[in-house]
Amino acid sequence: MELLKKNHTLSSGFIILGFGDLAELQILFFGLFLIMHLVTLAGHATIVLITLIDTCLQTPMYFFLRNLSAIEICYILVIVPNMLANFLSKKQRMSFLGCALQMHLFIALGGAECFLLAAMAYDRFVAICNPLRYTLIITRALCLQMLALACISGFTLSLTLTTLIFLLPFCQSHVINHFFCDIPAVLFLACSDTQANEIAVFLVCTLILLIPFLLILFSYGFIITAILRIHSAEGRSKAFSTCAGHLLVSVMHYGCAIFIYIRPKSCYAPEQDKIVSLIYTNITPMLYPMIYSLRNKEVKGALRRLLVNRNR
């Protein structure tokens, strides 16, 4: 009987409820989030472009920033287009395998981003706390190794977690009260004991979220101490400006994710989760390029040079 119920889920898939309870505002939301989506893509694409072609930005810090923006582009493309389509329809059907693939890519890219943010914190730690040995420690080979490790770790952990979740039977409601196949929303529909799966979610989220975030905070403890030892006010300001953007992005990214994923199934609150998810899948990705470019003179200078060369 359980096999038949499972097969029914495989054949019928899921229905993504989205924001069907706000039907009168759906067109407004569609227009608003479409504009945000295009601004976000343009911002991250610009960072990728200028860090590739500007010779002044061929440093490890901008190597990480470029790849962070590339991952962010893929990350929002996994979620936002389906969300926008959902605004134009009351319910959106998604196949079982499509839902699993969306969850896998979402976790994998989000995990890679978390590990990459930790690698960026290490880069800033060496640059400020051990500047004389920076070029010896942060080599191109090490940067490539950290990027590969971040991506492989994210995709491996995601594949494991997604497999564990989608092996569960979904024999009751197939309506996901969310705008994408998020972990808590899908896990909530399972009709068997999910305690082992919840433990797996907690362990994976600890590896992806808590440990990198604690390493970032630990690194910034040393960084702030080193900055305060700088005698020149201009030197302190310059050192802080190179780190402030990364620290702010890290707090925003990890804060929302930890709030959603590191908690038991019994605390699942669909409407609250949808609002927080809207923030970290739409608003914070749009702010990242602004945070980096507005606080970074080198990025602004590279953008000006690019615009000047295009006008010639």
Side-chain angles (χ1 to χ4, degrees):
M1 179 62 70
E2 186 172 298
L3 181 60
L4 289 174
K5 292 174 179 176
K6 184 69 174 178
N7 287 339
H8 176 66
T9 304
L10 282 167
S11 61
S12 63
F14 296 98
I15 294 173
I16 309 297
L17 191 59
F19 299 90
D21 54 337
L22 299 173
E24 67 280 0
L25 298 175
Q26 298 248 10
I27 300 299
L28 174 64
F29 284 158
F30 173 81
L32 175 63
F33 284 104
L34 176 61
I35 293 171
M36 291 172 61
H37 181 54
L38 295 176
V39 169
T40 303
L41 290 177
H44 286 289
T46 300
I47 286 179
V48 171
L49 180 63
I50 62 176
T51 54
L52 273 174
I53 66 176
D54 195 288
T55 55
C56 297
L57 302 183
Q58 304 305 310
T59 63
M61 182 174 75
Y62 295 107
F63 169 83
F64 289 125
L65 181 58
R66 176 171 65 249
N67 285 283
L68 182 69
S69 285
I71 290 173
E72 195 69 43
I73 289 172
C74 298
Y75 175 82
I76 60 176
L77 286 175
V78 169
I79 303 298
V80 179
N82 282 335
M83 183 196 78
L84 292 174
N86 191 261
F87 280 128
L88 300 179
S89 60
K90 291 185 177 180
K91 293 179 181 179
Q92 182 182 16
R93 188 171 294 277
M94 183 175 288
S95 69
F96 182 86
L97 292 178
C99 190
L101 179 62
Q102 186 186 54
M103 181 183 291
H104 168 59
L105 292 175
F106 170 72
I107 301 171
L109 293 166
E113 184 176 347
C114 288
F115 292 129
L116 197 58
L117 284 169
M120 292 173 74
Y122 177 68
D123 171 70
R124 293 298 83 206
F125 166 75
V126 176
I128 292 175
C129 298
N130 203 350
L132 297 179
R133 298 189 60 204
Y134 178 76
T135 55
L136 296 175
I137 297 173
I138 308 296
T139 62
R140 181 166 180 80
L142 179 63
C143 292
L144 290 171
Q145 289 169 5
M146 288 194 288
L147 173 63
L149 183 61
C151 294
I152 292 170
S153 300
F155 275 82
T156 302
L157 290 170
S158 173
L159 183 61
T160 303
L161 185 57
T162 305
T163 302
L164 285 173
I165 290 175
F166 279 88
L167 284 175
L168 290 167
F170 301 98
C171 48
Q172 297 176 7
S173 173
H174 296 164
V175 178
I176 298 176
N177 189 7
H178 213 298
F179 57 88
F180 70 101
C181 292
D182 201 7
I183 298 172
V186 174
L187 198 59
F188 185 76
L189 299 181
C191 55
S192 65
D193 183 16
T194 60
Q195 185 175 1
N197 303 79
E198 290 180 58
I199 293 173
V201 170
F202 177 79
L203 292 175
V204 170
C205 289
T206 298
L207 290 172
I208 291 178
L209 296 173
L210 279 182
I211 292 177
F213 188 47
L214 290 175
L215 289 174
I216 289 172
L217 293 180
F218 187 68
S219 297
Y220 271 99
F222 286 101
I223 289 171
I224 292 171
T225 301
I227 290 175
L228 292 176
R229 292 200 192 105
I230 298 174
H231 298 295
S232 165
E234 183 181 350
R236 286 196 300 270
S237 176
K238 184 178 179 180
F240 182 75
S241 67
T242 63
C243 299
H246 173 262
L247 182 59
L248 181 57
V249 166
S250 298
V251 170
M252 292 168 66
H253 179 79
Y254 287 102
C256 290
I258 289 171
F259 175 80
I260 289 286
Y261 299 111
I262 302 188
R263 62 179 183 184
K265 178 181 173 181
S266 57
C267 295
Y268 174 60
E271 301 306 323
Q272 176 182 271
D273 281 16
K274 281 195 284 188
I275 293 172
V276 177
S277 296
L278 270 179
I279 293 172
Y280 74 74
T281 59
N282 290 270
I283 298 174
T284 54
M286 182 181 67
L287 295 177
Y288 293 168
M290 299 178 189
I291 292 171
Y292 281 119
S293 61
L294 289 177
R295 294 196 61 87
N296 194 302
K297 294 180 180 179
E298 291 177 322
V299 172
K300 288 189 287 187
L303 185 57
R304 280 195 297 268
R305 288 192 293 271
L306 178 63
L307 294 174
V308 169
N309 290 334
R310 285 195 62 183
N311 291 330
R312 285 178 180 175

